[in-house]
Amino acid sequence: MNLGSAEEELRCLREELTAALDPEALFQASSKMARVVSEYFPPEQATDFIEATVDGMLSASPTYVTAAGLWMKIILKECGDAMLDQVPAILNIIYSHMPTIQEGILRQSLLEAVSILAHHHLEAVISSLLRKHLPMDRQHVPSLRWCHHCSQAKLCRSCSQSCFLFFCSRSAEP
């Protein structure tokens, strides 16, 4: 495949990554690189990419977790429309890791990934998640509600450990 100007842009971004002294510069260069790569990303490889990214994030430092999460979110944002057939498999990968993840950065990245998928394929995400068993807290059973602001399914706020769907930015209420 001839990448043309993208190849040169990736070379420059690689140099920026290696020269980055502070985390913000590292994340900016990484973000730009992910956007260039997303133009050539084969959507049929989404599940392999998500699985490898999540597995790598489990044993990485917080800086690498943040960068990998950034790549995952950018690929899903840019290529998510073409991933309808892989939504259940992607959610299985994320769902299978959630019970063991306590790390805030990693957990947040995975939840944001689900949100991005829901933005592209809401019905498929809701359908897949409703087939899953939610872990139950002894004191609280999560309840699924519809947000009247954005007409999307939401889980109530008091169930922070098992919430896979998000709250509307237009409302303080779930």
Side-chain angles (χ1 to χ4, degrees), residues 107-123:
R107 191 172 187 84
Q108 184 64 34
S109 290
L110 294 179
L111 293 174
E112 288 175 21
V114 174
S115 177
I116 294 165
L117 272 177
H119 174 76
H120 290 287
H121 307 289
L122 181 62
E123 288 182 32

Side-chain angles (χ1 to χ4, degrees), residues 18-46:
T18 57
L21 298 175
D22 64 281
E24 185 60 34
L26 175 85
F27 295 137
Q28 284 185 0
S30 183
S31 175
K32 290 176 190 175
M33 187 177 273
R35 280 186 175 69
V36 172
V37 169
S38 73
E39 293 177 28
Y40 301 94
F41 186 82
E44 62 275 2
Q45 292 182 7

